[in-house]
Amino acid sequence: MDVHDRVVSRKAGLGFALREGIPVLQCVIVPGMEGSFIAFAGSAPYNYGASAGGYATRMRYLTNGKEIFVPSGGVICKTGDAVGEDAIFYVMEGRVDLARELPDGYRFNYSVSKDGIFGVVSALNPGIHEMTATAVSNCQLYTWNKQSFETALSLYIEFAKLSIQELSRYLRAVNQEAERVWNKNVQ
Amino acid sequence: MSSDSVNGQAADQPDEDLEESLLQVAFSEIRDTSPEIFTQLGRSYQPGEVLFRENDSSKELFMIVGGQVKISRGEGEGERVLATRGGGEIMGEMSHFDDYPRSATATAVGEVQVLVFTKANFALIFELHHKWTLQLVQSLCNRINFTFQRIVKGHSAAAEGAAGG
């Protein structure tokens, strides 16, 4: 589902969030994604708000960025899009599918869920997004630009480990796909 | 396996000398690696020696100080060389951080010198200087990007093959 059909204004977005039980501290539109979806940003440093499961404690590395909300079906970035300013995402809640339609019609998929990170490769190798990222459930994300991400990496060892673990997992998936394609083409 | 392994300290209790070496590593460039650092963290490998083998459960992370290392999968006639790594490059990071078995075999091409980090002493370096974190993240991103381009090329070739025949 295209989020254009569901959330078209701040007012409608606010209603959507309230219906879904999503905490709303501040309502913003994600820069560069105007018209795509409405985002909800928290500004309190800790214990930022209630969710269906009660209060959540904000990880200390979630700083110098922005919290956004993407409803299920919302497209966060598309293959071929230019990489914008805030291109690195941490999944606070929900699940995001990364997919790429390849020239022979094969679809490469990779999934990122709670505490996962995506967008780092595009942000550090600027150009275009290689993958289309789509929320497959209602998602609360935290987004950084490259500089803020590097600052968080340098300050918080647990965030550094988390990032490297996620990249290692992604590299394994990419390696497996490369191996599969190589074997297929050899046969 | 290694001909010159000298890092025999308990992984979770680095002694003062080892901590001093880690400090030096954290605040120096790889090309400046001193004999003292190498004494604490270094290993040397002869041509053909294996640093780690596909599917084994070792978790050490390697930084190449000198020489070249072949990264391959499979054995014998089924061996496929994936890459060659050289000075300043990091190897073994995936198993170090995600605890899965090695995805490939690393073999010394010529004489090779590496710094070897256990989980415990690499965590200490992380705390000492963030440039290592950034270097590692950049290295992983470069490999993902490189491999992804190979995937795209592979699927393009498959599409052209299907169209041609």
Side-chain angles (χ1 to χ4, degrees), chain B residues 158-165:
Chain B
E160 287 166 11

Side-chain angles (χ1 to χ4, degrees), chain A residues 29-41:
Chain A
I29 297 175
V30 181
M33 294 184 179
E34 291 85 351
S36 294
F37 56 80
I38 301 295
F40 302 92

Side-chain angles (χ1 to χ4, degrees), chain A residues 104 130 172 177 179 182 185, chain B residues 80 98 101 130 149 154-155:
Chain A
D104 58 352
E130 293 287 353
R172 274 189 195 276
E177 176 59 19
E179 185 87 358
W182 189 83
N185 286 352
Chain B
R80 186 159 71 93
D98 69 13
H130 72 269
Q149 298 314 317
H155 281 280

Side-chain angles (χ1 to χ4, degrees), chain A residues 15-96:
Chain A
F16 177 84
L18 292 175
R19 281 198 304 279
E20 297 291 322
I22 294 158
V24 180
L25 300 181
Q26 188 184 348
C27 191
V28 300
I29 297 175
V30 181
M33 294 184 179
E34 291 85 351
S36 294
F37 56 80
I38 301 295
F40 302 92
S43 55
Y46 299 100
N47 296 331
Y48 66 93
S51 64
Y55 277 81
T57 301
R58 179 191 285 267
M59 298 297 183
R60 62 176 180 161
Y61 45 78
L62 298 181
T63 184
N64 295 325
K66 280 185 269 205
E67 188 179 329
I68 64 171
F69 166 73
V70 184
S72 180
V75 176
I76 299 153
C77 60
K78 285 183 180 171
T79 300
D81 282 354
V83 176
E85 177 75 1
D86 295 323
I88 299 168
F89 298 88
Y90 171 86
V91 180
M92 301 171 75
E93 292 291 343
R95 188 163 70 89
V96 174

Side-chain angles (χ1 to χ4, degrees), chain A residues 100 102-104 106 108 120-121 124-125 130-131 149-150 153-154 157 160-161 163-165 167-172 174-175 177-182 184-185, chain B residues 73 80 82 93-95 97-98 100-103 123 126-127 130 133-134 136-138 140-145 147-149 151-152 154-159:
Chain A
R100 170 72 179 264
L102 292 157
D104 58 352
Y106 179 82
F108 175 69
V120 182
V121 179
L124 298 192
N125 297 284
E130 293 287 353
M131 307 280 275
F149 173 74
E150 290 181 349
L153 274 184
S154 68
I157 187 169
K161 286 182 175 175
S163 301
I164 293 167
Q165 279 169 351
L167 287 168
S168 296
R169 189 172 76 91
Y170 191 26
L171 180 55
R172 274 189 195 276
V174 169
N175 279 342
E177 176 59 19
E179 185 87 358
R180 196 190 68 79
V181 175
W182 189 83
K184 185 182 170 188
N185 286 352
Chain B
R73 297 194 67 167
R80 186 159 71 93
L82 304 175
E93 69 278 10
M94 287 196 296
S95 294
F97 287 100
D98 69 13
Y100 281 93
R102 299 291 190 191
S103 63
F126 268 132
E127 289 174 359
H130 72 269
T133 313
L134 299 178
L136 195 47
V137 166
Q138 186 67 62
L140 281 162
C141 288
N142 291 345
R143 286 182 201 174
I144 290 167
N145 211 27
T147 308
F148 201 83
Q149 298 314 317
I151 291 173
V152 173
H155 281 280
S156 296

